[in-house]
Amino acid sequence: MTQLSARYEELINQGVLTSDPAQVSAIPLLEKLASDLAKARPKQGLFSKLSRSAPEPVKGLYLWGGVGRGKSMLMDLFFDVTEVEQKRRVHFHGFMQEVQAALHDARKTGVDDAIAPVADDIARNLRLLCFDEMQISDIADAMIVGRLFERLFNAGVAIVTTSNRTPDGLYKDGLNRDLFLPFIELLKEHLVVHKLVADRDYRQDRLAGSTVYFTPADAKARKAIDKIWVDITGGSAGPLELSVKGRKVVVPAYRNGAGRSTFFDLCGLPLGPGDYLEIAKSVRVLVIDDIPRLSRSNFNEAKRFVTLIDALYEARVKLICSAADIPERLYLEGEGVFEFERTASRLREMQAADWAT
């Protein structure tokens, strides 16, 4: 039994996971990739250090299927047990934000082709790159991914990615999509495409029938939310950093499509609609701790909160939160009370068991 299979079985025996045939079907593909990476490991010694040739290419994996089927969980298990030092795991949206910022800096140097140095810098000392939730909706990203990934593949970087869409469904109906089609063929050439066919949405199963709006925002509420957070993420998480028009927007904790932040981190800072749209595009579940009562004394924070909830609602993001009071009593006095009625209604709707299913 390989490390990946053993770890999967261990989590099943601990009651953390439920054995799923669709997930099991993907494990051999990930195990083969881990084995191929080990076999293609650069040789050690003087001559290998002098060689500038790229590592032997290893075919990666494109794992796609509906939300909550366990794609990110499988990729995380693979990433954790794969014995490759030169590896990175990153949310695809955050990665493309980094690339756009790096291209902007490269162009300032006057280079004719900014993609080449940016791709080479990414590939340097990197053998495995794991992306969570590949989706392309921005034309700026669509126009560069082909040449960027081609250079990464040529440098011997193996890529594993999860997505809710088949490769042929990426950037569907996007502007100038004909120019994007070669990228789809590039993915099919360098990645094994595997659909995770699962009948259950495990993330929704964990939340089905559960309380998702806790009031008051006290120690009891935090304990309950902590339990939900561990259940849907496994407990460990790292920050999700998004770049919006050159500014950094951070969700302090992120894993498996779920993010967690305090009210202050999201609404106490000078963020705007564009920032909230990027957050809503990047998470499927968002936990917000410690929503206070709102009034004219914190009017700016209240306005941002209204904008945030609108973005989450339109993107059908699952919301879990703790608040000082029920939605209808969060904002009782001051300018904006009337407008907040819609927000309160949306907060109620987002508590439904079938929300975001």
Side-chain angles (χ1 to χ4, degrees):
M1 182 179 291
T2 66
Q3 280 186 290
L4 181 56
S5 294
R7 181 59 179 151
Y8 186 77
E9 289 295 327
E10 180 184 358
L11 292 174
I12 291 172
N13 293 334
Q14 292 173 353
V16 177
L17 298 178
T18 301
S19 182
D20 181 277
Q23 294 172 5
V24 172
S25 72
I27 289 177
L29 299 175
L30 291 164
E31 290 173 331
K32 182 180 185 305
L33 176 53
S35 175
D36 290 345
L37 284 167
K39 292 176 183 176
R41 184 175 296 155
K43 296 180 180 179
Q44 301 299 313
L46 174 62
F47 293 104
S48 65
K49 292 179 181 179
L50 295 175
S51 173
R52 295 187 179 182
S53 59
E56 181 182 345
V58 172
K59 201 159 189 175
L61 180 65
Y62 186 103
L63 194 61
W64 73 280
V67 298
R69 264 59 183 183
K71 301 183 299 296
S72 296
M73 176 274 296
L74 286 172
M75 185 177 72
D76 285 343
L77 290 182
F78 163 78
F79 183 84
D80 290 341
V81 304
T82 299
E83 296 178 351
V84 173
E85 291 184 5
Q86 299 167 318
K87 60 182 179 180
R88 186 186 181 197
R89 192 253 196 234
V90 61
H91 190 277
F92 184 77
H93 184 68
F95 174 78
M96 291 308 302
Q97 293 284 356
E98 291 177 12
V99 168
Q100 292 289 0
L103 288 173
H104 178 73
D105 292 339
R107 292 183 185 111
K108 291 180 180 178
T109 67
V111 296
D112 294 330
D113 179 11
I115 291 179
V118 169
D120 292 346
D121 186 59
I122 294 170
R124 190 172 293 113
N125 300 319
L126 187 64
R127 299 187 58 227
L128 174 63
L129 186 54
C130 292
F131 292 122
D132 194 23
E133 298 185 27
M134 178 180 282
Q135 55 179 335
I136 299 175
S137 56
D138 187 291
I139 187 172
D141 291 345
M143 293 303 100
I144 67 170
V145 287
R147 293 190 52 238
L148 174 71
F149 273 59
E150 183 176 25
R151 203 163 181 99
L152 293 178
F153 289 136
N154 288 340
V157 177
I159 290 177
V160 176
T161 186
T162 68
S163 181
N164 296 336
R165 294 175 177 267
T166 175
D168 290 312
L170 290 172
Y171 197 53
K172 189 176 181 180
D173 302 322
L175 187 63
N176 294 326
R177 190 170 188 268
D178 286 348
L179 300 177
F180 180 78
L181 296 180
F183 172 65
I184 294 176
E185 296 307 312
L186 185 71
L187 289 180
K188 293 178 180 179
E189 177 185 352
H190 290 274
L191 306 180
V192 174
V193 178
H194 181 77
K195 183 179 182 181
L196 204 65
V197 185
D199 295 329
R200 298 174 61 184
D201 181 339
Y202 289 94
R203 191 157 49 201
Q204 290 296 343
D205 283 353
R206 294 187 183 100
L207 295 174
S210 300
T211 301
V212 294
Y213 188 101
F214 297 85
T215 185
D218 55 12
K220 183 179 178 181
R222 175 168 287 276
K223 183 178 180 180
I225 291 179
D226 285 346
K227 185 177 184 302
I228 294 174
W229 176 254
V230 170
D231 194 31
I232 61 177
T233 66
S236 61
L240 172 64
E241 297 184 354
L242 304 172
S243 178
V244 183
K245 296 182 178 179
R247 294 177 296 101
K248 184 181 293 186
V249 177
V250 179
V251 177
Y254 175 86
R255 186 178 175 87
N256 289 349
R260 186 171 185 177
S261 182
T262 65
F263 174 88
F264 178 80
D265 287 330
L266 292 177
C267 302
L269 302 177
L271 303 181
D275 304 312
Y276 297 136
L277 287 173
E278 291 298 333
I279 291 172
K281 284 166 53 179
S282 302
V283 303
R284 301 312 311 152
V285 177
L286 182 64
V287 177
I288 306 177
D289 292 296
D290 304 324
I291 301 170
R293 286 188 174 85
L294 306 169
S295 66
R296 59 171 57 92
S297 66
N298 53 7
F299 177 66
N300 288 331
E301 291 88 341
K303 283 180 60 179
R304 295 185 192 113
F305 182 65
V306 168
T307 304
L308 170 63
I309 295 304
D310 284 345
L312 299 177
Y313 182 89
E314 294 299 333
R316 299 197 67 79
V317 172
K318 189 73 174 182
L319 176 65
I320 303 168
C321 63
S322 62
D325 213 328
I326 63 174
E328 293 80 8
R329 292 204 296 260
L330 274 180
Y331 199 155
L332 293 178
E333 61 89 16
E335 184 182 352
V337 169
F338 177 77
E339 289 80 359
F340 194 79
E341 289 182 5
R342 183 184 69 169
T343 301
S345 175
R346 289 188 162 186
L347 286 171
R348 280 291 180 189
E349 186 178 350
M350 294 167 81
Q351 294 178 48
D354 60 353
W355 172 258
T357 58

